[in-house]
Amino acid sequence: MTEAYIVDAVRTPIGKKKGGLSGVHPADLGAHVIKAVVERTGIDPGDVDDVVFGCVDAIGGQAGNIARTAWLAAGYPQHVPGVTVDRQCGSSQQALHFGAQAILSNTADLIIAGGVQNMSQIPISSAMTAGQQYGFDTPFGGSKGWTERYGSDEVSQFKGAEMIAEKWDISREELEQWALQSHERAKAAIAAGRFDNETVPLGDATVDEGPRETSLEKMASLQPLVEGGRITAAVASQISDGASAVLLASDEAVKKYNLKPRARIHHLSARGDDPIYMLTAPIPATQHALEKAGLTIDDIDLIEINEAFAPVVLAWIKEIGADPAKVNVNGGAIALGHPLGATGTKLMSTLLNELERIGGRYGLLTICEGGGTANVTIIERL
């Protein structure tokens, strides 16, 4: 049976808004992690079959197939193609899935999968707002089929997060406690050097810039996004800049190029849920993945679930029955940031390194995505 292996995984430090990576062109951000993974593994870049990158809001410096542009900006051979994926917040996780699927289908042997996002230069939802000059106020308004099915109510991650907190009866205090824990875990991980093996500094960005000193008292003083609501900026992911990449290889490539894989792709899948709630899909996606993989949540040693908003994680824990001590053990996007298109393989690099550190076997990654979808990847440490 053909296997797909992760040979290595790297990421930039995650820059905060207007921080150390804000002035770096997206192509150069992507090129930086591509070069890092090539140099660390010792592969001949000419042997790469494809470069699959995630990116959201592909306009300006992120337009024109950023996967291809980043590869060429790295100075590597022109015969290697590239393709850009948009599955919203899970774009680079989907890039990893597409790369692994190419290997599992015996149509490729070496794939670089990853993602890039400079949210300082290209603000979130820029692609949507750019459409306003053409008469599209939202991607959905004007669609007869969409309106007949979902009406004309607001479709946003903020509304979805608020609805999740209400449906699962998660208090503002619980949300803020999780957010505070995210910062504390992230700061502890940085101090202990847990991210050192996965991060490749770039310019002034030498360490993750997001974690900050905060407290429950400070969080409680913030105004909610809607009057009487539970969601504040303190329990949401940060606007960030960054890039990440993994090298995927087949059995044949591992032998041919004398590579040492660090993990095996055990399972990959995606599922959808209500697009108005938007952020709940990790729940059915995880249930589906565990069933297909023949595992239970107790078999999973570590979990990375993207902290788009704290209620996403807490509702998922309630429904899946996961041990919170296994979830985002080094902090999450509330503290470390969420560079949209890069987050999937960024979290995979963290999951892989931490799995090795604790000697665990299985790690699970899931991300909620715009449109109400979610990817799940289960890896087995080698």
Side-chain angles (χ1 to χ4, degrees):
M1 177 181 173
T2 301
E3 300 282 8
Y5 297 103
I6 297 177
V7 180
D8 206 357
V10 300
R11 66 177 180 87
T12 64
I14 303 306
K16 63 183 180 181
K17 184 179 180 181
K18 307 300 182 183
L21 295 177
S22 60
V24 182
H25 191 285
D28 297 323
L29 266 180
H32 184 68
V33 290
I34 288 172
K35 287 190 285 188
V37 81
V38 167
E39 291 167 3
R40 282 174 43 144
T41 58
I43 61 168
D44 181 340
D47 291 327
V48 173
D49 291 303
D50 207 351
V51 179
V52 189
F53 255 43
C55 188
V56 186
D57 293 315
I59 65 174
Q62 293 174 172
N65 189 2
I66 189 66
R68 172 69 170 165
T69 311
W71 176 262
L72 296 176
Y76 290 145
Q78 294 181 130
H79 72 265
V80 177
V83 62
T84 302
V85 177
D86 180 355
R87 192 168 240 165
Q88 298 293 280
C89 298
S91 294
S92 58
Q93 186 178 9
Q94 183 59 54
L96 186 156
H97 283 204
F98 282 151
Q101 287 165 341
I103 289 169
L104 292 168
S105 68
N106 289 310
T107 57
D109 289 301
L110 276 182
I111 299 282
I112 290 179
V116 61
Q117 201 83 31
N118 191 316
M119 298 176 76
S120 294
Q121 293 182 12
I122 312 290
I124 187 171
S125 298
S126 287
M128 182 180 73
T129 55
Q132 292 173 354
Q133 63 181 306
Y134 303 109
F136 294 91
D137 290 333
T138 74
F140 319 102
S143 164
K144 180 181 178 182
W146 176 277
T147 304
E148 287 178 349
R149 185 167 187 181
Y150 296 109
S152 56
D153 288 346
E154 175 192 358
V155 181
S156 80
Q157 57 183 328
F158 307 108
K159 178 180 178 179
E162 196 71 61
M163 291 169 66
I164 292 168
E166 292 175 6
K167 180 176 179 178
W168 274 271
D169 193 24
I170 305 168
S171 69
R172 176 171 170 173
E173 290 74 18
E174 289 176 286
L175 300 176
E176 290 170 349
Q177 286 167 355
W178 183 270
L180 180 62
Q181 176 183 262
S182 185
H183 284 283
E184 291 175 339
R185 285 179 170 180
K187 288 184 291 183
I190 292 170
R194 292 185 188 175
F195 300 138
D196 290 355
N197 188 51
E198 66 195 63
T199 52
V200 284
L202 176 57
D204 294 334
T206 58
V207 67
D208 294 312
E209 297 174 349
R212 55 181 178 263
E213 296 297 330
T214 187
S215 67
L216 293 176
E217 291 73 25
K218 288 181 181 178
M219 292 181 184
S221 70
L222 298 178
Q223 291 296 313
L225 298 183
V226 296
E227 187 175 351
R230 311 179 195 193
I231 304 300
T232 71
V235 302
S237 55
Q238 296 186 38
I239 293 171
S240 310
D241 309 322
S244 57
V246 302
L247 177 65
L248 301 170
S250 66
D251 303 85
E252 183 176 337
V254 165
K255 296 171 185 173
K256 183 176 181 180
Y257 304 120
N258 195 30
L259 301 172
K260 186 178 180 180
R262 297 171 63 186
R264 178 181 70 89
I265 303 294
H266 183 76
H267 172 84
L268 47 82
S269 61
R271 278 292 181 272
D273 206 5
D274 188 329
I276 306 303
Y277 272 88
M278 190 181 292
L279 312 174
T280 56
I283 296 169
T286 300
Q287 292 166 337
H288 170 79
L290 291 172
E291 182 180 353
K292 292 286 286 186
L295 298 170
T296 70
I297 194 62
D298 293 332
D299 294 320
I300 305 298
D301 297 293
L302 282 173
I303 297 148
E304 287 288 337
I305 172 170
N306 190 42
E307 290 175 356
F309 294 85
V312 174
V313 182
L314 294 177
W316 180 89
I317 289 173
K318 283 187 174 186
E319 290 292 326
I320 300 300
D323 180 355
K326 294 181 178 180
V327 179
N328 299 357
V329 299
N330 292 319
I334 290 170
L336 292 162
H338 176 24
L340 306 175
T343 292
T345 41
K346 179 258 186 190
L347 292 181
M348 180 56 72
S349 67
T350 299
L351 181 63
L352 176 59
N353 279 276
E354 186 64 16
L355 203 60
E356 291 174 338
R357 191 184 74 83
I358 69 166
R361 182 179 182 184
Y362 291 116
L364 183 148
L365 166 62
T366 187
I367 296 178
C368 59
E369 302 154 348
T373 64
N375 286 60
V376 176
T377 318
I378 300 174
I379 62 169
E380 181 180 17
R381 180 183 65 86
L382 299 176

